[in-house]
Amino acid sequence: MSNDTKAAGIIGTGSYVPETILKNSYFEEKLDTNDEWIVSRTGIKERRKVKPEMATSDIATYAALKAIEDAKLTPMDLDMIIVATVTSDMSFPSTACIIQKNIGAEKAAAFDISAACSGFIYGLSIASQFVKSGSKKNILVIGAETLSKITDYDDRNTCILFGDGAGAAIVSCVEEGFGILSAYLGSDGRGGDLLKLPAGGSRMPASRETIANSQHFIKMDGSEVFKFAIKIMGEAAEKALSLCGMEKEDIDYLIPHQANIRIIESATKRLKISKDKVFVNVDKYGNMSAASIAVALDEAKRTNKLNKGDVVVLVGFGGGLTWGSAVMKWT
Ligand code: UT7
């Protein structure tokens, strides 16, 4: 352990989305909804779904191996694995431990965090503290979800929104002045009932009644979450910028949580940045909760949207309620 404070940043990314595509027409056939409503209210055209036998750790493992390769590391180089998810394989062991076994990262401490859609930013922030303090060198941060497993496909209010996917990043030491410059995390537990999975925990263990009442599926007050999101996205991004002495004019690229195109457009407007500086893939994948920003970051990188020295802002919100933002100088 060293006393020097180091710079921490992302040195590799990876992502994976399942092959099966659910287009809006799939819902048109089953429910009282249509493509026009879904696209105009959400921007979503299709989303991915895992096969029944696949769990979150399976798709997260694919994303993790790609990130490790991209960073030119091996699994044995990892000191820590942090997994952000609301769809862990099971309550315990953690999904992080299952991935550790899958990839053979024998030297890594592994744990999950629960911050819903903000989870990947929470994970990056935790990882950056360990790397900056010098106590850990290479940390794998994953945002991964199989939301199809907790989605009620009879509930038109929620089922059109969610999809499955996994994204990963390696946080490590980077050149001074680069990497994660600031992170801002927040929560408001008073809004916890707005977005939740009621049953299956210690409050309401699984029973015949909970299954009969569909309480193992996501419940959401969409319009209240929408109002919260509109307010918090811009605020959180501005706060992270101010923490590192920057302003919204300094943003070169924005990677927002992909929940709804109208929420993304509202943040874009408030931050006064042009649309070509904002990454959008909500049309292809829907809302993948903790995986959304992680997959978007990898796709932005692989499509050469991020250049060395660019000021890249990540911002997200989610159940809890939680929110998080981070400013990076891209390495
Ligand atoms: O990652 C964080 C997780 N969650 C979110 O980010 C969700 C945030 N919220 C939203 O994105 C939006 O609130 C929704 C897309 C969920 C809903 O859009 P909205 O413009 O807020 O619609 P609304 O909830 O105000 O509903 C308007 C109407 C309702 O009908 P009535 O009560 O006015 O007759 C809904 O029942 O639209 C109806 N509706 C639908 N109609 C057709 C709700 N879902 C559908 C649907 N197809 N799939």
Side-chain angles (χ1 to χ4, degrees):
M1 172 134 175
S2 127
N3 289 327
D4 301 337
T5 305
K6 301 175 187 327
I10 292 173
I11 63 159
T13 63
S15 65
Y16 175 83
V17 291
E19 280 164 23
T20 304
I21 297 175
L22 295 188
K23 291 185 182 292
N24 289 347
S25 53
Y26 169 84
F27 300 97
E28 284 180 327
E29 285 159 21
K30 286 174 53 113
L31 297 166
D32 180 15
T33 190
N34 56 71
D35 179 60
E36 196 280 325
W37 192 96
I38 301 172
V39 174
S40 64
R41 298 292 182 112
T42 71
I44 301 167
K45 293 180 181 155
E46 54 190 51
R47 66 293 285 147
R48 302 298 175 107
K49 187 178 182 193
V50 292
K51 294 194 172 78
E53 67 274 19
M54 296 283 277
T56 296
S57 68
D58 299 321
I59 60 172
T61 296
Y62 295 141
L65 289 171
K66 289 184 188 177
I68 293 165
E69 189 187 353
D70 190 44
K72 299 184 175 59
L73 297 177
T74 70
M76 285 299 275
D77 295 319
L78 297 177
D79 302 306
M80 185 176 274
I81 301 172
I82 303 173
V83 176
T85 186
V86 296
T87 47
S88 49
D89 286 24
M90 53 192 97
S91 285
F92 66 91
S94 69
T95 302
C97 281
I98 296 168
I99 296 164
Q100 183 211 31
K101 178 197 68 180
N102 290 352
I103 64 176
E106 289 172 24
K107 294 195 299 190
F111 59 94
D112 292 358
I113 54 170
S114 175
C117 311
S118 315
F120 183 67
I121 295 179
Y122 272 60
L124 286 181
S125 173
I126 296 167
S128 99
Q129 299 301 322
F130 273 105
V131 171
K132 281 181 181 170
S133 73
S135 63
K136 298 284 177 202
K137 206 169 160 211
N138 299 310
I139 303 185
L140 170 62
V141 182
I142 300 172
E145 303 286 8
T146 48
L147 293 174
S148 62
K149 306 280 181 145
I150 57 166
T151 294
D152 182 351
Y153 286 97
D154 291 327
D155 176 10
R156 70 173 185 174
N157 292 294
T158 54
C159 69
I160 52 132
L161 299 171
F162 300 111
D164 301 339
I170 308 282
V171 176
S172 200
C173 271
V174 296
E175 210 179 315
E176 200 56 52
F178 286 81
I180 299 164
L181 305 181
S182 67
Y184 167 62
L185 309 178
S187 320
D188 182 358
R190 291 170 301 180
D193 281 336
L194 298 178
L195 180 51
K196 66 181 179 183
L197 185 75
S202 60
R203 177 69 61 199
M204 207 187 281
S207 67
R208 282 194 182 84
E209 285 72 30
T210 60
I211 292 169
N213 295 332
S214 301
Q215 286 168 308
H216 296 270
F217 292 129
I218 299 170
K219 306 290 175 201
M220 182 176 73
D221 181 337
S223 58
E224 285 304 312
V225 175
F226 188 87
K227 283 184 224 158
F228 155 70
I230 297 282
K231 181 175 167 292
I232 206 69
M233 289 280 271
E235 261 179 44
E238 285 175 6
K239 181 78 181 172
L241 285 160
S242 74
L243 288 174
C244 60
M246 291 195 187
E247 292 175 359
K248 53 190 181 214
E249 291 73 24
D250 295 313
I251 303 175
D252 291 308
Y253 209 71
L254 180 73
I255 303 182
H257 174 44
Q258 308 284 314
N260 184 319
I261 192 68
R262 292 187 293 146
I263 296 171
I264 296 172
E265 283 169 358
S266 150
T268 306
K269 207 168 153 195
R270 168 156 176 177
L271 296 168
K272 295 195 172 75
I273 47 176
S274 64
K275 280 186 177 176
D276 59 320
K277 289 182 169 186
V278 182
F279 191 83
V280 174
N281 63 8
V282 68
D283 53 325
K284 291 193 295 177
Y285 305 136
N287 181 347
M288 300 183 290
S289 190
S292 273
I293 293 174
V295 171
L297 176 67
D298 181 55
E299 292 197 343
K301 177 174 180 274
R302 282 173 202 279
T303 51
N304 302 317
K305 301 276 193 307
L306 312 177
N307 302 303
K308 184 166 180 179
D310 279 354
V311 174
V312 180
V313 175
L314 311 180
V315 62
F317 66 93
L321 299 167
T322 58
W323 56 91
S325 51
V327 179
M328 300 186 285
K329 191 158 230 191
W330 194 249
T331 35

